[in-house]
Amino acid sequence: MAANSFGHLFQIHTFGESHGVALGVLVDGCPAGVPFDSDFLQKEMDRRRPGFQSGVSARKESDQAEVLSGVYEGKTLGTPIAIIVRNTDQRSQDYNEIKAEPRRGHADKEWKQKFVHVDHRGGGRSSGRETLSRVAGGAVARMLIRALNPKCEITSQILKIGDHDYDPKTAETLLLQAQSEGESWGGLLQIQIKNPPHSLGQPVFHKLKSDFAAAMLSIGATSALEVGAGIEASISKGTDFHTDKSSRSVYGGLAGGLSTGEDITLQIHFKPTSTILDVAKKGRHDPCIVLRAAPVCEAMAALVLADHLLWRRLDNL
Amino acid sequence: MAANSFGHLFQIHTFGESHGVALGVLVDGCPAGVPFDSDFLQKEMDRRRPGFQSGVSARKESDQAEVLSGVYEGKTLGTPIAIIVRNTDQRSQDYNEIKAEPRRGHADKEWKQKFVHVDHRGGGRSSGRETLSRVAGGAVARMLIRALNPKCEITSQILKIGDHDYDPKTAETLLLQAQSEGESWGGLLQIQIKNPPHSLGQPVFHKLKSDFAAAMLSIGATSALEVGAGIEASISKGTDFHTDKSSRSVYGGLAGGLSTGEDITLQIHFKPTSTILDVAKKGRHDPCIVLRAAPVCEAMAALVLADHLLWRRLDNL
Amino acid sequence: MAANSFGHLFQIHTFGESHGVALGVLVDGCPAGVPFDSDFLQKEMDRRRPGFQSGVSARKESDQAEVLSGVYEGKTLGTPIAIIVRNTDQRSQDYNEIKAEPRRGHADKEWKQKFVHVDHRGGGRSSGRETLSRVAGGAVARMLIRALNPKCEITSQILKIGDHDYDPKTAETLLLQAQSEGESWGGLLQIQIKNPPHSLGQPVFHKLKSDFAAAMLSIGATSALEVGAGIEASISKGTDFHTDKSSRSVYGGLAGGLSTGEDITLQIHFKPTSTILDVAKKGRHDPCIVLRAAPVCEAMAALVLADHLLWRRLDNL
Amino acid sequence: MAANSFGHLFQIHTFGESHGVALGVLVDGCPAGVPFDSDFLQKEMDRRRPGFQSGVSARKESDQAEVLSGVYEGKTLGTPIAIIVRNTDQRSQDYNEIKAEPRRGHADKEWKQKFVHVDHRGGGRSSGRETLSRVAGGAVARMLIRALNPKCEITSQILKIGDHDYDPKTAETLLLQAQSEGESWGGLLQIQIKNPPHSLGQPVFHKLKSDFAAAMLSIGATSALEVGAGIEASISKGTDFHTDKSSRSVYGGLAGGLSTGEDITLQIHFKPTSTILDVAKKGRHDPCIVLRAAPVCEAMAALVLADHLLWRRLDNL
């Protein structure tokens, strides 16, 4: 039940195991008439690909998105948009060892305990490859946002790799070294939504921050989420915090769970990848998930935003 | 649509404005035959009440829970359980000033912009009083958990008031002083779920951590959530993090989004209350939300747990 | 889970046992700013009451609707609207016999088998009294419809009592006789929606006719539903049916599951009431459910319509 | 939103236009460990195919089902099962005339009015080809039912073609004649569920009959539904109806919306097909939908049953 669905009005349903036939997404609730940008979709898929970032991973995946439905003559039809990506580089044989012995730090053991019958190859559906469906769905969400609010922009910035402040050059050195040494790093990613419409979000259980939290913490390897001033907020005096001249920014563009129209800021913390412990991935492990996580977090932010853009239409008479 | 509903199989629907006739909760999906403990329900309501904690707030609310349906001869019927609390101490007249001028740090302005027609008194449904419905629903969730998993326990610990480590004595001094000075503090609360069943949580979008995140960040004044080692995790080296002798604890009782059976740990950060800026609450403001938030966060954790206890029944043939 | 919820965007959640403390409805998803007509609400409750129709039933219920939330200064707030009706005339003692022996034609036995622990008094939640919640919810739906589409009207006509064509006078004779003889009658009710907006309904699983069918067949004692020409349609030749000069009317105002803008016609068939077999209701049974069913069916039609009026807002860019 | 989803715990999400790249279904909520019978799936697809029934339609579709996910080593994984069928015989060019002029009796006009941007070819998603997704989803539902309740059987019987009682020989004559004369017929189909488990169904809004009604009336060309004795019930005297020696059968295996364990009977009425008016289908029209509708109605019945088999697990402590 709905374990693989996200969103309320603009919904995605995802599917696919990392070593099955294909993965994909079904987008339901996208209004008719949205210009569909196939190139943008493929670019987003490519951004998520390991190895796309220089020097990061040797595994090459060709993630060709195929649109099966819901689009006609360059526009959405208001019907479900199905997008699939076939698996090609599977190396299933690498995973025979796992069948006998679950990987430490992965969910192999828990998954087996839960479902009894599992696809042990590459984590099945608990694999990072699952995020491909999110990115495809998020790309469609961005097309809708662009059509409705062209000035609204979703961006991401890597703030930290482990405890090092991020800059591209030192990051590359750090990661190459990590890869050769069998080390891994967590990190910190920031999402910014610029020029969002105001009044998005719903009272009580679907405050924007609640839906963003659900979105981000549904991504594997995430360990914490900060909204606006986040942890800083909890250690400030109220008189300082609320009377800050730039006070709106400490709220992260949200008040009472609703968007104020100011930029929205989220910070997402990631654990170091556990693939360092993975017998199946000797020498091919991903030393830091944060780089690849950027398009995934952006996609999830876009999905929340698209959902609430539509929800907003129901607020008033 | 569903803006006031939480949960999938064990669901609550909440309602009520802080200065309306009544607030309440409708619990749907609770199985038949659960022993219903009315005393426990009322005790939970009392724990949430301002002024219950010594020296915290002068406002006295008598939150008598009345059960309207779903319970017969001391047990649940498998039908919806409606619980209401009538409002008594309303002091609506205090809020006339707000009508003209929205309160800074509150959602008055955003709410007005969104819904146009609003109940300006005491924040309406964006008031902290809304959490009363959550606590009532959470109490029923705990009855179900107790019946199914008697050893499973949900506890909370205040870790910090602002940047001060919590201990009851200094906290009381700090808060009394804050109240007299018109100051407020945020803080840090920890939730621990002891002896949880393993294999709770669902793949992808309903990982336990995702549902906990949605639950906690739906509470007003929350600004961050950490799962397991949280922010510490993001700045650790993988070889240290994953090979920690006590490593399971760094994962916070979760792997791949599923419960491992070990204790689950969540940390929730709160902003300093904004009532210091509130013209309507001169001298009656709550200097720190964290004390009253404890039963609310426990309730939300219980709701997530009850939901996934039922969901687990659907995993296998 | 959701067993007591109806609707998608305009939703109701109902609760209450026939001999519990109260019954009621929670309306979620009603936009802010809808003029709330309390008199109309109460009038609808009265229309549903047994004994309101002349000579029909001796049981007197005073169904006073109390609005607990969601309405302020005569308009909806966009927050959940809770409405309750307290039970007064319970005569629970009449039902002691049922505890030992389930009533034939009622669901007592099935309910007991399903939930094990049940409220045996008066059918609990399988009682016709449950429809009170629907009528209250439907009244709110009608306020929304009236505000958005003042020309749209939902009416009902009794077409048959048993196999007798309906007219008020002979019907009264028939029913008084039935009551004195311990007889009961089914019947046929027609719902007409005049001047509905076009393009309501959603493809595939939420065609208007599908949602109407779910709505009507969720009412106890219903045994069949016809849409448009209904059963006549199935025995017609296509060349006659589709080329009928008045052909739109044979479609009942629907095409491809969408409203065409022409009047919508539904016919709902009811079984004879089973209370004739009811040891607890000697001399007080309701000889024909169809009279009381009219406001209930209208309410369900209104709920479907309100839902789709909102849904329509999501169709296009 | 959810316009293309059916079911609550055992859910299907469908997609695809009749002349797009592919159609398909995503089954979510099927437990892990269900033996997956690919041959049965393909046989069900073939049963639905036009032309499969002797002499009925010249259009040849090769509906090869491809399973993309959710199945491994012959069993379900508890993850979403994606099944697609690529379109091959599209003849899109036949539909150019429709672009200018919507087909009478079809939903072309309404669809255009609703979504503005539409795929005019072959009805897009309002085409009968959409039912292919239902049959695929229903096949998986039947695998689950078979695994849980091997004795439970879903069968269908054609009772009438137009106003003629059905028998295979005269039906073939009738339909061949209709095809040559540009005539079409509606008809009556009966679904029987033999040896169903008792206590399926949920109170109030998800009575089995309500969910069956939603299921059947979501199919194109349906015009009425009867449950148990159906229309007969509405014209009977209560003393006859309820004291019928074989009375359980008049209830159609349902009481209070719950299954009694006795056979469940549904009758579904269909309008004559409107393709007789279809400029694009000269000589290729389907003279009677009822034959092809049988596997579709069975599939929908199976989906409802599978859903409630799982839901039943949540009833008790």
Side-chain angles (χ1 to χ4, degrees):
Chain A
M1 184 207 70
N4 301 279
S5 299
F6 186 83
H8 304 90
L9 301 178
F10 188 99
Q11 288 188 307
I12 59 166
H13 311 294
T14 71
F15 59 92
E17 284 71 48
S18 68
H19 287 66
V21 177
L23 294 98
V25 67
L26 185 54
V27 180
D28 201 359
C30 185
V34 177
F36 194 88
D37 185 340
S38 302
D39 291 341
F40 175 69
L41 168 61
Q42 189 56 49
K43 261 178 215 152
E44 287 295 290
M45 304 307 283
D46 292 342
R47 276 180 71 204
R48 197 210 66 93
R49 240 169 51 196
F52 183 81
Q53 297 88 5
S54 61
V56 173
S57 161
R59 189 174 174 201
K60 195 179 160 297
E61 304 171 50
S62 173
D63 292 337
Q64 287 299 315
E66 185 188 13
V67 179
L68 300 183
S69 66
V71 179
Y72 178 62
E73 296 184 342
K75 284 188 194 167
T76 60
L77 287 165
T79 59
I81 303 163
I83 304 172
I84 64 168
V85 172
R86 292 192 177 262
N87 287 318
T88 50
D89 173 26
Q90 301 188 352
R91 300 203 198 181
S92 302
Q93 67 282 12
D94 293 2
Y95 292 93
N96 282 339
E97 300 178 41
I98 306 167
K99 203 165 183 176
E101 192 191 347
R103 295 167 299 173
R104 191 173 156 69
H106 280 77
D108 295 343
K109 188 182 140 200
E110 284 70 24
W111 205 268
K112 176 80 184 169
Q113 212 166 12
K114 185 179 186 67
F115 290 114
V116 184
H117 179 64
V118 296
D119 182 349
H120 67 282
R121 300 166 304 169
R125 193 144 170 74
S126 70
S127 158
R129 191 154 169 73
E130 160 267 317
T131 58
L132 175 161
S133 304
R134 302 173 187 241
V135 171
V140 181
R142 293 177 98 146
M143 296 175 203
L144 174 63
I145 296 167
R146 197 191 294 165
L148 291 173
N149 291 72
K151 285 187 183 165
C152 176
E153 227 185 310
I154 300 169
T155 65
S156 62
Q157 302 81 37
I158 300 171
L159 299 186
K160 288 195 173 190
I161 302 287
D163 53 354
H164 305 269
D165 287 340
Y166 179 78
D167 94 83
K169 207 149 192 191
T170 55
E172 191 169 344
T173 317
L174 200 66
L175 295 184
L176 287 172
Q177 192 182 344
Q179 197 164 41
S180 71
E181 291 175 359
E183 187 55 271
S184 71
W185 291 102
L188 177 58
L189 184 78
Q190 180 171 274
I191 293 286
Q192 273 192 307
I193 304 175
K194 293 177 179 167
N195 307 312
H198 66 76
S199 303
L200 300 190
Q202 290 291 332
V204 188
F205 297 119
H206 293 288
K207 294 182 167 77
L208 263 194
K209 65 179 177 179
S210 173
D211 280 10
F212 280 132
M216 298 308 162
L217 270 294
S218 74
I219 302 171
T222 50
S223 60
L225 174 82
E226 302 183 65
V227 178
I231 285 167
E232 278 299 306
S234 73
I235 57 177
S236 310
K237 273 188 172 186
T239 46
D240 292 343
F241 183 79
H242 291 288
T243 57
D244 187 347
K245 291 245 161 57
S246 58
S247 71
R248 273 310 182 191
S249 72
V250 298
Y251 300 137
L254 302 171
L258 309 180
S259 64
T260 61
E262 286 146 308
D263 293 355
I264 296 171
T265 317
L266 306 169
Q267 298 196 348
I268 304 119
H269 296 259
F270 289 85
K271 294 184 282 193
T273 44
S274 53
T275 36
I276 46 169
L277 313 165
D278 191 339
V279 293
K281 289 209 170 170
K282 276 171 201 155
R284 289 189 304 132
H285 80 279
D286 207 340
C288 182
I289 206 78
V290 184
L291 284 77
R292 295 179 66 190
V296 178
C297 291
E298 288 178 32
M300 293 309 295
L303 287 165
V304 171
L305 215 62
D307 203 16
H308 282 279
L309 277 171
L310 294 181
W311 208 334
R312 176 82 175 100
R313 295 183 179 183
L314 308 177
D315 289 341
N316 303 107
L317 193 51
Chain B
M1 183 207 71
N4 301 278
S5 299
F6 187 83
H8 303 89
L9 301 178
F10 187 99
Q11 287 189 308
I12 60 167
H13 312 292
T14 72
F15 58 93
E17 284 71 49
S18 69
H19 288 65
V21 178
L23 295 97
V25 67
L26 185 55
V27 180
D28 201 0
C30 185
V34 177
F36 194 88
D37 185 340
S38 302
D39 291 341
F40 174 70
L41 168 62
Q42 190 56 50
K43 260 178 215 153
E44 287 295 289
M45 304 307 283
D46 292 341
R47 276 179 72 204
R48 196 210 66 91
R49 240 170 51 197
F52 183 80
Q53 297 88 6
S54 61
V56 173
S57 162
R59 189 174 174 201
K60 195 179 160 296
E61 303 170 51
S62 173
D63 293 337
Q64 287 300 317
E66 186 189 12
V67 179
L68 300 183
S69 67
V71 179
Y72 178 62
E73 297 185 342
K75 286 189 194 167
T76 60
L77 287 165
T79 59
I81 302 163
I83 303 172
I84 64 168
V85 173
R86 290 191 178 266
N87 287 319
T88 51
D89 173 26
Q90 300 187 353
R91 302 203 197 180
S92 302
Q93 67 282 12
D94 293 3
Y95 291 94
N96 282 339
E97 301 179 41
I98 306 166
K99 203 165 183 177
E101 190 191 348
R103 296 167 298 175
R104 190 173 157 69
H106 280 77
D108 294 343
K109 188 182 140 200
E110 283 71 23
W111 205 269
K112 177 80 184 167
Q113 212 166 12
K114 184 179 186 69
F115 291 114
V116 184
H117 179 64
V118 297
D119 182 349
H120 67 282
R121 302 166 303 169
R125 193 143 170 75
S126 70
S127 157
R129 190 153 170 73
E130 161 266 316
T131 58
L132 175 161
S133 305
R134 302 173 187 240
V135 171
V140 181
R142 293 176 99 145
M143 295 175 204
L144 174 63
I145 295 167
R146 196 191 295 166
L148 291 173
N149 291 72
K151 285 188 182 165
C152 177
E153 228 184 311
I154 300 170
T155 65
S156 63
Q157 301 82 37
I158 300 171
L159 299 187
K160 289 195 172 189
I161 303 288
D163 52 354
H164 305 269
D165 287 339
Y166 179 78
D167 94 84
K169 208 152 192 188
T170 56
E172 190 168 346
T173 317
L174 198 66
L175 295 183
L176 286 172
Q177 193 182 343
Q179 197 163 41
S180 71
E181 291 175 0
E183 188 54 272
S184 71
W185 291 102
L188 176 58
L189 184 79
Q190 180 171 276
I191 293 286
Q192 273 192 306
I193 304 174
K194 293 177 179 168
N195 307 312
H198 66 76
S199 302
L200 300 190
Q202 290 290 332
V204 188
F205 297 119
H206 293 288
K207 294 182 168 78
L208 264 193
K209 66 179 178 180
S210 173
D211 280 9
F212 280 131
M216 299 309 162
L217 270 295
S218 76
I219 302 171
T222 50
S223 61
L225 174 82
E226 302 183 64
V227 177
I231 286 168
E232 278 299 307
S234 74
I235 57 177
S236 310
K237 274 188 172 185
T239 45
D240 293 343
F241 183 78
H242 291 288
T243 57
D244 187 346
K245 291 243 163 55
S246 58
S247 70
R248 273 310 182 190
S249 71
V250 298
Y251 299 138
L254 301 172
L258 309 180
S259 65
T260 61
E262 286 147 306
D263 294 355
I264 296 171
T265 317
L266 306 169
Q267 298 196 349
I268 304 119
H269 296 259
F270 288 85
K271 294 185 283 194
T273 45
S274 53
T275 37
I276 47 170
L277 314 164
D278 190 339
V279 293
K281 288 210 170 169
K282 276 172 200 153
R284 290 189 302 132
H285 80 279
D286 208 340
C288 181
I289 206 78
V290 184
L291 285 78
R292 294 179 67 191
V296 179
C297 290
E298 288 178 33
M300 294 309 295
L303 288 165
V304 171
L305 215 62
D307 202 17
H308 282 280
L309 276 172
L310 294 181
W311 209 334
R312 175 83 175 100
R313 296 183 179 182
L314 309 176
D315 289 342
N316 303 105
L317 192 52
Chain C
M1 185 207 69
N4 300 278
S5 300
F6 187 83
H8 303 91
L9 301 178
F10 188 98
Q11 287 187 309
I12 59 165
H13 313 292
T14 71
F15 59 92
E17 283 72 48
S18 69
H19 287 67
V21 178
L23 294 98
V25 67
L26 184 55
V27 180
D28 201 0
C30 185
V34 177
F36 193 89
D37 185 341
S38 302
D39 291 341
F40 175 69
L41 169 62
Q42 189 57 49
K43 260 178 216 152
E44 287 294 289
M45 304 308 284
D46 292 342
R47 277 179 71 205
R48 195 209 68 91
R49 241 169 50 196
F52 183 82
Q53 298 88 4
S54 62
V56 173
S57 161
R59 189 173 174 202
K60 196 180 159 295
E61 303 170 51
S62 172
D63 293 336
Q64 287 300 317
E66 186 188 10
V67 179
L68 300 183
S69 67
V71 179
Y72 178 62
E73 296 184 341
K75 285 189 194 166
T76 60
L77 287 165
T79 60
I81 302 163
I83 303 171
I84 64 169
V85 173
R86 292 191 178 264
N87 287 319
T88 51
D89 173 25
Q90 300 187 351
R91 302 204 197 179
S92 302
Q93 67 281 13
D94 292 2
Y95 291 93
N96 282 339
E97 300 178 42
I98 306 166
K99 203 166 183 175
E101 192 190 348
R103 295 168 298 175
R104 191 171 157 70
H106 280 78
D108 294 343
K109 187 183 141 200
E110 284 69 26
W111 205 268
K112 176 80 184 169
Q113 212 168 12
K114 184 179 186 66
F115 291 114
V116 184
H117 179 64
V118 297
D119 182 348
H120 67 281
R121 300 166 302 169
R125 194 146 170 72
S126 70
S127 158
R129 192 154 168 73
E130 161 266 316
T131 59
L132 174 161
S133 305
R134 302 172 187 242
V135 171
V140 182
R142 292 176 100 145
M143 296 175 203
L144 174 63
I145 295 166
R146 196 191 296 166
L148 291 173
N149 291 71
K151 285 186 183 166
C152 177
E153 227 184 311
I154 299 169
T155 65
S156 62
Q157 302 82 39
I158 299 172
L159 299 186
K160 289 196 172 189
I161 303 286
D163 52 353
H164 304 268
D165 286 339
Y166 179 79
D167 93 84
K169 207 150 191 189
T170 55
E172 192 169 342
T173 318
L174 198 66
L175 296 184
L176 287 172
Q177 191 182 345
Q179 196 164 41
S180 71
E181 292 174 0
E183 187 55 270
S184 71
W185 291 102
L188 176 58
L189 184 79
Q190 180 170 276
I191 293 287
Q192 272 192 307
I193 304 175
K194 292 176 180 168
N195 306 312
H198 67 75
S199 302
L200 300 190
Q202 290 291 331
V204 188
F205 297 118
H206 292 288
K207 293 182 168 78
L208 264 193
K209 65 179 177 178
S210 173
D211 281 9
F212 280 132
M216 298 310 163
L217 270 293
S218 75
I219 302 171
T222 50
S223 61
L225 174 82
E226 301 183 64
V227 178
I231 286 167
E232 278 298 307
S234 73
I235 57 176
S236 311
K237 273 189 175 188
T239 45
D240 292 342
F241 183 80
H242 291 288
T243 57
D244 187 347
K245 291 243 164 55
S246 58
S247 70
R248 274 310 184 191
S249 71
V250 299
Y251 302 138
L254 301 172
L258 309 180
S259 64
T260 61
E262 285 147 306
D263 294 355
I264 296 171
T265 317
L266 306 170
Q267 298 196 349
I268 304 119
H269 296 259
F270 289 84
K271 294 182 284 194
T273 45
S274 53
T275 37
I276 45 169
L277 313 164
D278 190 339
V279 293
K281 289 208 170 170
K282 276 171 199 153
R284 290 189 304 131
H285 81 278
D286 207 341
C288 182
I289 205 77
V290 183
L291 283 79
R292 296 179 66 191
V296 179
C297 290
E298 288 179 32
M300 293 310 295
L303 287 165
V304 171
L305 215 61
D307 203 17
H308 282 279
L309 276 172
L310 295 181
W311 208 336
R312 175 82 175 99
R313 296 183 179 183
L314 308 177
D315 288 343
N316 303 106
L317 191 52
Chain D
M1 185 208 70
N4 300 279
S5 299
F6 186 84
H8 303 91
L9 301 178
F10 188 99
Q11 288 187 307
I12 59 165
H13 312 293
T14 70
F15 58 91
E17 283 71 49
S18 69
H19 288 65
V21 178
L23 294 97
V25 67
L26 185 54
V27 180
D28 201 0
C30 184
V34 177
F36 193 89
D37 186 340
S38 303
D39 290 342
F40 174 70
L41 168 61
Q42 190 56 49
K43 261 178 214 152
E44 287 295 289
M45 305 307 284
D46 292 342
R47 277 179 71 206
R48 196 208 67 91
R49 242 169 50 196
F52 183 81
Q53 297 89 3
S54 62
V56 174
S57 162
R59 189 175 175 200
K60 195 180 160 298
E61 303 170 50
S62 173
D63 293 336
Q64 287 299 317
E66 185 189 13
V67 179
L68 300 183
S69 67
V71 178
Y72 179 62
E73 297 185 341
K75 286 188 192 165
T76 60
L77 288 165
T79 59
I81 302 163
I83 303 172
I84 65 169
V85 172
R86 290 191 178 265
N87 288 319
T88 51
D89 173 26
Q90 301 187 353
R91 302 204 197 180
S92 302
Q93 67 281 12
D94 292 2
Y95 292 94
N96 283 339
E97 299 179 42
I98 306 166
K99 204 166 184 176
E101 191 191 346
R103 296 167 297 174
R104 191 173 157 68
H106 281 77
D108 294 345
K109 188 183 140 201
E110 284 70 24
W111 204 269
K112 176 81 185 168
Q113 211 166 12
K114 184 178 185 67
F115 290 115
V116 185
H117 178 65
V118 297
D119 182 350
H120 66 282
R121 300 166 304 169
R125 192 143 171 74
S126 71
S127 158
R129 190 152 170 74
E130 162 266 316
T131 58
L132 174 161
S133 305
R134 302 173 186 242
V135 171
V140 181
R142 293 176 99 146
M143 295 174 205
L144 174 63
I145 295 167
R146 195 191 297 166
L148 291 174
N149 291 71
K151 286 186 183 166
C152 177
E153 227 183 312
I154 300 168
T155 65
S156 62
Q157 301 81 39
I158 299 171
L159 300 187
K160 288 195 173 189
I161 302 287
D163 53 354
H164 304 269
D165 287 339
Y166 178 78
D167 92 84
K169 209 153 190 185
T170 56
E172 191 168 345
T173 318
L174 198 67
L175 296 184
L176 287 172
Q177 191 182 346
Q179 197 163 40
S180 70
E181 291 175 359
E183 187 55 270
S184 70
W185 292 101
L188 176 58
L189 184 78
Q190 179 170 276
I191 293 286
Q192 272 193 307
I193 304 176
K194 293 178 178 165
N195 307 311
H198 66 76
S199 302
L200 300 190
Q202 290 291 331
V204 188
F205 298 118
H206 293 288
K207 294 181 168 78
L208 264 193
K209 67 179 177 179
S210 173
D211 281 9
F212 280 130
M216 298 310 163
L217 269 295
S218 75
I219 302 171
T222 51
S223 61
L225 175 81
E226 302 183 65
V227 178
I231 285 167
E232 278 299 307
S234 74
I235 56 177
S236 311
K237 273 189 171 185
T239 45
D240 293 342
F241 183 79
H242 291 289
T243 56
D244 187 347
K245 290 245 163 54
S246 59
S247 70
R248 274 309 184 192
S249 71
V250 298
Y251 300 138
L254 302 171
L258 309 181
S259 64
T260 61
E262 285 146 307
D263 294 355
I264 296 170
T265 317
L266 307 169
Q267 298 196 349
I268 304 119
H269 296 258
F270 289 84
K271 293 184 284 194
T273 45
S274 53
T275 37
I276 46 169
L277 313 164
D278 190 338
V279 293
K281 289 208 169 170
K282 277 170 199 155
R284 289 191 302 133
H285 80 279
D286 207 341
C288 181
I289 206 77
V290 184
L291 285 79
R292 294 179 66 191
V296 179
C297 290
E298 289 178 32
M300 292 310 294
L303 287 165
V304 171
L305 215 62
D307 204 15
H308 282 280
L309 277 172
L310 295 181
W311 207 335
R312 175 82 175 100
R313 296 182 179 183
L314 307 177
D315 289 342
N316 303 106
L317 191 53

